[in-house]
Amino acid sequence: MENLHIQIIIRCCSYDELSPADRALANAAREATNNSYAPYSHFSVGAAALLENGITVSGSNQENAAYPSGLCAERTTLFYANSRYPHLAVEALAVAARNERGEFVARPIEPCGACRQVMLEVESRQGRPMRLLLCGADTVYEIGDAAQLLPLSFRADSMR
Ligand code: THU
């Protein structure tokens, strides 16, 4: 018997250390929190996707009185990006969140399992990695590809 060790590489930096391009993407995610509809959780999440042609699209979490009918910011944004620009790869996705006091949360946001699954499919669909910038108020986690967030994942080729 042997143990399998799964490694995930997270580049941890401060907001000020981001390159100008990454800071612009993080700012777009922060800005998108203003359009969140979160009357139930009071947790406002924004995401911004940088497409391969340089366009940035953003989205936010949209809640519903029937709770499961709502959608996270990451999926809102990725589904919109793929709906509007189905042939353009998403190079990077930044995510930011504000708490019920309107403050950006200290710890970098950790996407839920369903969003990780969707991120994975975005990567397999476009055949190239999507870099993640998970933003806290000061600390940012940069992850080179979304697949790292979901080891042992179920994917299309799992069924073959
Ligand atoms: N949420 C996101 O939009 N993204 C995440 O990564 C975590 C959670 C939303 C879903 C719900 O509207 C609220 O945050 C509380 O869970």
Side-chain angles (χ1 to χ4, degrees):
M1 197 181 88
E2 60 172 328
N3 292 326
L4 294 178
H5 294 267
I6 294 171
Q7 182 171 271
I8 158 169
I9 298 171
I10 301 176
R11 188 174 156 261
C12 185
C13 68
S14 76
Y15 180 80
D16 294 336
E17 287 176 304
L18 291 174
S19 68
D22 281 354
R23 197 172 314 164
L25 195 63
N27 286 342
R30 286 183 166 188
E31 179 77 25
T33 63
N34 295 321
N35 297 337
S36 158
Y37 177 65
Y40 305 104
S41 71
H42 304 287
F43 188 61
S44 302
V45 187
L50 175 66
L51 309 185
E52 64 178 318
N53 67 351
I55 287 179
T56 297
V57 300
S58 63
S60 55
N61 58 329
Q62 300 293 315
E63 297 185 350
N64 193 280
Y67 286 12
S69 301
L71 200 63
C72 293
E74 295 91 324
R75 276 176 287 161
T76 303
T77 304
L78 290 172
F79 287 151
Y80 175 69
N82 281 163
S83 303
R84 182 80 177 78
Y85 303 100
H87 304 299
L88 294 180
V90 179
E91 287 188 345
L93 181 76
V95 192
R98 283 187 293 111
N99 62 22
E100 59 194 350
R101 293 181 298 282
E103 304 154 343
F104 288 109
V105 294
R107 211 174 64 218
I109 175 109
E110 290 139 333
C112 78
C115 286
R116 294 176 194 214
Q117 184 74 30
V118 167
M119 290 175 188
L120 195 68
E121 185 110 3
V122 168
E123 284 187 333
S124 58
R125 173 179 175 173
Q126 67 190 25
R128 54 193 264 197
M130 177 175 68
R131 209 160 49 86
L132 300 177
L133 293 174
L134 307 179
C135 304
D138 181 50
T139 307
V140 178
Y141 288 167
E142 181 189 358
I143 302 170
D145 63 284
Q148 292 192 65
L149 280 185
L150 200 62
L152 303 181
S153 54
F154 182 77
R155 18 177 120 217
D157 63 12
S158 307
M159 292 181 281
R160 285 189 204 114

mmCIF file of all heavy atoms in Angstrom, residues 38 41 43 45 61-63 71-74 95 109-112 115, ligand 1:
data_model
loop_
_atom_site.group_PDB
_atom_site.id
_atom_site.type_symbol
_atom_site.label_atom_id
_atom_site.label_comp_id
_atom_site.label_asym_id
_atom_site.label_seq_id
_atom_site.Cartn_x
_atom_site.Cartn_y
_atom_site.Cartn_z
ATOM 1 N N ALA A 38 -27.770 39.946 -2.942
ATOM 2 C CA ALA A 38 -27.576 39.010 -1.827
ATOM 3 C C ALA A 38 -28.383 39.428 -0.603
ATOM 4 O O ALA A 38 -27.835 39.667 0.477
ATOM 5 C CB ALA A 38 -26.089 38.908 -1.490
ATOM 6 N N SER A 41 -27.947 36.279 2.232
ATOM 7 C CA SER A 41 -26.664 36.026 2.912
ATOM 8 C C SER A 41 -25.945 37.325 3.292
ATOM 9 O O SER A 41 -25.070 37.324 4.153
ATOM 10 C CB SER A 41 -25.741 35.201 2.003
ATOM 11 O OG SER A 41 -25.285 35.993 0.921
ATOM 12 N N PHE A 43 -23.727 38.542 1.681
ATOM 13 C CA PHE A 43 -22.336 38.269 1.315
ATOM 14 C C PHE A 43 -22.245 38.542 -0.191
ATOM 15 O O PHE A 43 -22.836 37.828 -1.002
ATOM 16 C CB PHE A 43 -22.007 36.808 1.633
ATOM 17 C CG PHE A 43 -20.562 36.451 1.484
ATOM 18 C CD1 PHE A 43 -19.589 37.079 2.248
ATOM 19 C CD2 PHE A 43 -20.171 35.462 0.585
ATOM 20 C CE1 PHE A 43 -18.251 36.739 2.107
ATOM 21 C CE2 PHE A 43 -18.842 35.114 0.440
ATOM 22 C CZ PHE A 43 -17.877 35.753 1.204
ATOM 23 N N VAL A 45 -20.439 38.799 -3.629
ATOM 24 C CA VAL A 45 -19.280 38.240 -4.333
ATOM 25 C C VAL A 45 -19.241 38.784 -5.755
ATOM 26 O O VAL A 45 -20.283 38.919 -6.408
ATOM 27 C CB VAL A 45 -19.346 36.689 -4.349
ATOM 28 C CG1 VAL A 45 -18.067 36.097 -4.923
ATOM 29 C CG2 VAL A 45 -19.607 36.144 -2.948
ATOM 30 N N ASN A 61 -22.826 37.294 -7.466
ATOM 31 C CA ASN A 61 -23.791 36.296 -7.001
ATOM 32 C C ASN A 61 -25.203 36.868 -7.042
ATOM 33 O O ASN A 61 -25.427 38.044 -6.757
ATOM 34 C CB ASN A 61 -23.425 35.758 -5.609
ATOM 35 C CG ASN A 61 -23.322 36.819 -4.538
ATOM 36 O OD1 ASN A 61 -22.966 37.954 -4.813
ATOM 37 N ND2 ASN A 61 -23.632 36.449 -3.307
ATOM 38 N N GLN A 62 -26.125 36.017 -7.431
ATOM 39 C CA GLN A 62 -27.524 36.406 -7.582
ATOM 40 C C GLN A 62 -28.368 35.411 -6.793
ATOM 41 O O GLN A 62 -28.464 34.244 -7.175
ATOM 42 C CB GLN A 62 -27.916 36.390 -9.068
ATOM 43 C CG GLN A 62 -27.098 37.349 -9.936
ATOM 44 C CD GLN A 62 -27.369 38.812 -9.608
ATOM 45 O OE1 GLN A 62 -28.530 39.217 -9.454
ATOM 46 N NE2 GLN A 62 -26.310 39.614 -9.479
ATOM 47 N N GLU A 63 -28.937 35.886 -5.693
ATOM 48 C CA GLU A 63 -29.674 34.978 -4.812
ATOM 49 C C GLU A 63 -31.163 34.962 -5.144
ATOM 50 O O GLU A 63 -31.648 35.732 -5.975
ATOM 51 C CB GLU A 63 -29.416 35.396 -3.348
ATOM 52 C CG GLU A 63 -27.943 35.254 -3.004
ATOM 53 C CD GLU A 63 -27.619 35.523 -1.543
ATOM 54 O OE1 GLU A 63 -28.495 36.018 -0.800
ATOM 55 O OE2 GLU A 63 -26.464 35.233 -1.143
ATOM 56 N N LEU A 71 -27.298 31.784 -7.781
ATOM 57 C CA LEU A 71 -26.056 31.332 -8.422
ATOM 58 C C LEU A 71 -24.872 32.158 -7.912
ATOM 59 O O LEU A 71 -24.983 33.363 -7.706
ATOM 60 C CB LEU A 71 -26.165 31.470 -9.947
ATOM 61 C CG LEU A 71 -25.180 30.625 -10.764
ATOM 62 C CD1 LEU A 71 -25.408 29.129 -10.538
ATOM 63 C CD2 LEU A 71 -25.291 30.953 -12.242
ATOM 64 N N CYS A 72 -23.749 31.466 -7.746
ATOM 65 C CA CYS A 72 -22.511 32.124 -7.294
ATOM 66 C C CYS A 72 -21.961 33.050 -8.377
ATOM 67 O O CYS A 72 -22.235 32.877 -9.581
ATOM 68 C CB CYS A 72 -21.446 31.081 -6.989
ATOM 69 S SG CYS A 72 -21.796 30.031 -5.580
ATOM 70 N N ALA A 73 -21.132 33.968 -7.934
ATOM 71 C CA ALA A 73 -20.521 34.937 -8.851
ATOM 72 C C ALA A 73 -19.658 34.255 -9.912
ATOM 73 O O ALA A 73 -19.642 34.668 -11.082
ATOM 74 C CB ALA A 73 -19.675 35.915 -8.054
ATOM 75 N N GLU A 74 -18.931 33.220 -9.505
ATOM 76 C CA GLU A 74 -18.011 32.558 -10.442
ATOM 77 C C GLU A 74 -18.781 31.931 -11.607
ATOM 78 O O GLU A 74 -18.419 32.085 -12.769
ATOM 79 C CB GLU A 74 -17.210 31.463 -9.729
ATOM 80 C CG GLU A 74 -16.264 31.978 -8.656
ATOM 81 C CD GLU A 74 -16.895 32.038 -7.274
ATOM 82 O OE1 GLU A 74 -18.101 32.352 -7.157
ATOM 83 O OE2 GLU A 74 -16.165 31.775 -6.304
ATOM 84 N N VAL A 95 -11.742 36.709 -8.194
ATOM 85 C CA VAL A 95 -12.939 36.662 -7.347
ATOM 86 C C VAL A 95 -12.676 37.480 -6.084
ATOM 87 O O VAL A 95 -11.592 37.381 -5.485
ATOM 88 C CB VAL A 95 -13.290 35.208 -6.943
ATOM 89 C CG1 VAL A 95 -14.674 35.149 -6.321
ATOM 90 C CG2 VAL A 95 -13.213 34.254 -8.131
ATOM 91 N N ILE A 109 -11.186 34.515 -0.966
ATOM 92 C CA ILE A 109 -12.421 33.731 -1.118
ATOM 93 C C ILE A 109 -12.108 32.332 -1.657
ATOM 94 O O ILE A 109 -11.264 32.177 -2.540
ATOM 95 C CB ILE A 109 -13.411 34.492 -2.019
ATOM 96 C CG1 ILE A 109 -14.671 33.690 -2.317
ATOM 97 C CG2 ILE A 109 -12.785 34.923 -3.324
ATOM 98 C CD1 ILE A 109 -15.856 34.229 -1.614
ATOM 99 N N GLU A 110 -12.796 31.351 -1.106
ATOM 100 C CA GLU A 110 -12.583 29.959 -1.529
ATOM 101 C C GLU A 110 -13.823 29.483 -2.266
ATOM 102 O O GLU A 110 -14.894 29.337 -1.670
ATOM 103 C CB GLU A 110 -12.317 29.087 -0.296
ATOM 104 C CG GLU A 110 -10.953 29.403 0.333
ATOM 105 C CD GLU A 110 -10.961 29.438 1.847
ATOM 106 O OE1 GLU A 110 -12.022 29.723 2.448
ATOM 107 O OE2 GLU A 110 -9.898 29.175 2.436
ATOM 108 N N PRO A 111 -13.721 29.271 -3.574
ATOM 109 C CA PRO A 111 -14.907 28.913 -4.372
ATOM 110 C C PRO A 111 -15.551 27.604 -3.908
ATOM 111 O O PRO A 111 -14.857 26.689 -3.469
ATOM 112 C CB PRO A 111 -14.341 28.753 -5.792
ATOM 113 C CG PRO A 111 -13.059 29.507 -5.788
ATOM 114 C CD PRO A 111 -12.519 29.406 -4.398
ATOM 115 N N CYS A 112 -16.865 27.532 -4.026
ATOM 116 C CA CYS A 112 -17.590 26.326 -3.607
ATOM 117 C C CYS A 112 -17.307 25.182 -4.597
ATOM 118 O O CYS A 112 -16.766 25.381 -5.690
ATOM 119 C CB CYS A 112 -19.087 26.615 -3.518
ATOM 120 S SG CYS A 112 -19.930 26.637 -5.100
ATOM 121 N N CYS A 115 -18.773 25.495 -8.174
ATOM 122 C CA CYS A 115 -18.024 26.433 -9.027
ATOM 123 C C CYS A 115 -16.705 25.813 -9.483
ATOM 124 O O CYS A 115 -16.280 26.007 -10.632
ATOM 125 C CB CYS A 115 -17.777 27.741 -8.290
ATOM 126 S SG CYS A 115 -19.264 28.757 -8.141
HETATM 127 N N1 THU B 1 -20.887 32.654 -3.124
HETATM 128 C C1 THU B 1 -20.296 33.002 -4.299
HETATM 129 O O1 THU B 1 -20.869 33.740 -5.104
HETATM 130 N N2 THU B 1 -19.060 32.528 -4.548
HETATM 131 C C2 THU B 1 -18.324 31.779 -3.676
HETATM 132 O O2 THU B 1 -17.185 31.420 -3.995
HETATM 133 C C3 THU B 1 -18.886 31.393 -2.396
HETATM 134 C C4 THU B 1 -20.296 31.762 -2.152
HETATM 135 C C5 THU B 1 -22.205 33.217 -2.842
HETATM 136 C C6 THU B 1 -23.363 32.261 -2.878
HETATM 137 C C7 THU B 1 -24.347 32.956 -1.969
HETATM 138 O O3 THU B 1 -25.035 33.941 -2.718
HETATM 139 C C8 THU B 1 -23.474 33.664 -0.962
HETATM 140 O O4 THU B 1 -22.193 33.754 -1.536
HETATM 141 C C9 THU B 1 -23.390 32.958 0.377
HETATM 142 O O5 THU B 1 -23.024 31.628 0.220
#
